[in-house]
Amino acid sequence: MPMFAMSYKVQRYVILISFLTLPLLLLAVFSFYPALYLAWLSFTSWDGYSPNKAWVGFNNYKDIFTNADIFKVLSHNFVYFIGGIVQNIVALFFAVLLNSRLRGRNTFRVLLFLPYIMNSVAIAYMFTYVYDAQNGSLNALLTSVGLESWIRSWMGDAGIVNYSLAFISAWKFMGFNMVIYLGALQSIPGDLYEAAKIDGAGPFKSFLYITWPSIIKIVELSMLLTVSGALEVFDLPFVMTKGGPAGASQTFVTQTVETAFNFSNYGLASAMGMVLLIIVVLVIFVQRKLILRGED
């Protein structure tokens, strides 16, 4: 049937279906199918090489929930969550500061956003030299200012390695959150601040009663992304420490990758991936109910 002979309603549906077919097909091939295959693989025992995959039911999940060492690494992820909170506070501070009439504010915005567009692996290698215990620039700086007592093996000390890595993550993503907050701040009408100033409100009260209520939804969304990101940390510990020293910087995702590729236990690794997916969904659900109060 020619297009001109179709009714407007039919033409609209044809156009919509035509434009949606390819994206939905790509979504099914690269998202839905791998997810379903991962779920099926989690009920099998497979070494990644043999053609046969033995069905083991819930044995992989039993191994996960009866092995305390698997969930112990989540305490390492918690350090990244703390770093994410600090990161959001600093990002909001810079967003408020650079939203004012500050000389050279566009230059500062670019400089603060620049780490986010840098490649994560490049950043990891860069900070490998910064944190080097012998010739690292950080220890050299501490020595030059007379703080030799602060010198540490930043990547070799099990007590601080996760904090060192979390700092890098916060430094990288702070600029991104700053831009998000800056966009939210610029959407607030200036008349509100002028009226508050006329009524005698200072900067602190203006922030408390105008700025904060206006951007609270953006802050909540950013915190949601922070929580999910902290649970899925992979690149920095994988590139910089390989989970060391003695597994002190191991995260749930790096442990999953190690289970699959180092120990050739793809069934257990798939089950760990499904458990992580469930944890992330539950955390987001609880956060939306408690923080977002179920609002869209």
Side-chain angles (χ1 to χ4, degrees):
M1 180 183 297
M3 180 67 72
F4 59 84
M6 300 180 185
S7 64
Y8 172 75
K9 184 177 182 180
V10 173
Q11 291 182 34
R12 186 177 63 177
Y13 280 120
V14 169
I15 294 174
L16 287 175
I17 293 173
S18 300
F19 277 98
L20 287 175
T21 299
L22 182 59
L24 290 176
L25 181 62
L26 293 174
L27 186 65
V29 172
F30 294 105
S31 295
F32 295 152
Y33 172 73
L36 292 175
Y37 185 73
L38 180 72
W40 175 79
L41 201 61
S42 67
F43 293 102
T44 67
S45 176
W46 185 45
D47 59 8
Y49 304 100
S50 60
N52 297 324
K53 302 175 181 66
W55 181 265
V56 296
F58 286 94
N59 288 349
N60 289 325
Y61 292 94
K62 289 180 182 178
D63 291 341
I64 293 173
F65 289 103
T66 56
N67 189 346
D69 292 336
I70 293 179
F71 283 100
K72 184 180 179 180
V73 297
L74 286 177
S75 62
H76 304 161
N77 292 80
F78 182 73
V79 176
Y80 292 90
F81 171 67
I82 298 300
I85 294 177
V86 176
Q87 162 203 309
N88 277 274
I89 294 173
V90 175
L92 182 57
F93 169 77
F94 278 114
V96 173
L97 183 64
L98 296 178
N99 192 45
S100 60
R101 295 180 180 178
L102 183 69
R103 182 186 293 269
R105 58 182 179 178
N106 290 331
T107 302
F108 286 111
R109 290 174 184 175
V110 172
L111 291 176
L112 291 173
F113 186 71
L114 187 61
Y116 176 72
I117 64 177
M118 293 176 63
N119 183 271
S120 296
V121 176
I123 290 176
Y125 278 110
M126 179 179 71
F127 272 90
T128 299
Y129 294 102
V130 173
Y131 285 147
D132 186 82
Q134 301 299 325
N135 304 308
S137 57
L138 178 56
N139 284 343
L141 175 63
L142 293 175
T143 301
S144 65
V145 297
L147 296 175
E148 290 87 352
S149 60
W150 288 25
I151 292 178
R152 296 288 186 276
S153 176
W154 303 100
M155 293 287 96
D157 189 336
I160 62 173
V161 61
N162 288 308
Y163 295 96
S164 301
L165 295 172
F167 172 81
I168 302 174
S169 180
W171 175 78
K172 173 177 172 58
F173 290 100
M174 188 276 293
F176 172 77
N177 284 312
M178 180 203 68
V179 171
I180 297 299
Y181 290 143
L182 192 59
L185 291 172
Q186 292 179 347
S187 67
I188 303 174
D191 297 343
L192 296 177
Y193 292 104
E194 294 178 4
K197 188 175 182 180
I198 293 174
D199 291 338
F204 178 75
K205 285 190 174 181
S206 296
F207 176 83
L208 188 62
Y209 294 106
I210 298 177
T211 305
W212 183 253
S214 300
I215 67 172
I216 184 63
K217 294 301 179 186
I218 303 301
V219 174
E220 292 167 347
L221 175 62
S222 182
M223 287 305 303
L224 187 147
L225 296 175
T226 297
V227 172
S228 60
L231 289 171
E232 300 169 354
V233 174
F234 169 73
D235 49 0
L236 290 176
F238 180 79
V239 174
M240 297 185 68
T241 64
K242 301 296 183 182
S249 63
Q250 191 86 280
T251 65
F252 198 88
V253 177
T254 59
Q255 189 178 50
T256 302
V257 172
E258 184 180 87
T259 301
F261 295 100
N262 290 8
F263 299 102
S264 298
N265 195 338
Y266 285 78
L268 181 59
S270 299
M272 293 172 66
M274 292 302 300
V275 169
L276 179 61
L277 175 62
I278 294 172
I279 292 175
V280 171
V281 170
L282 287 177
V283 168
I284 292 176
F285 176 78
V286 171
Q287 190 171 3
R288 285 188 58 84
K289 288 298 181 181
L290 296 182
I291 300 180
L292 297 179
R293 297 174 294 278
E295 300 178 9
D296 294 328

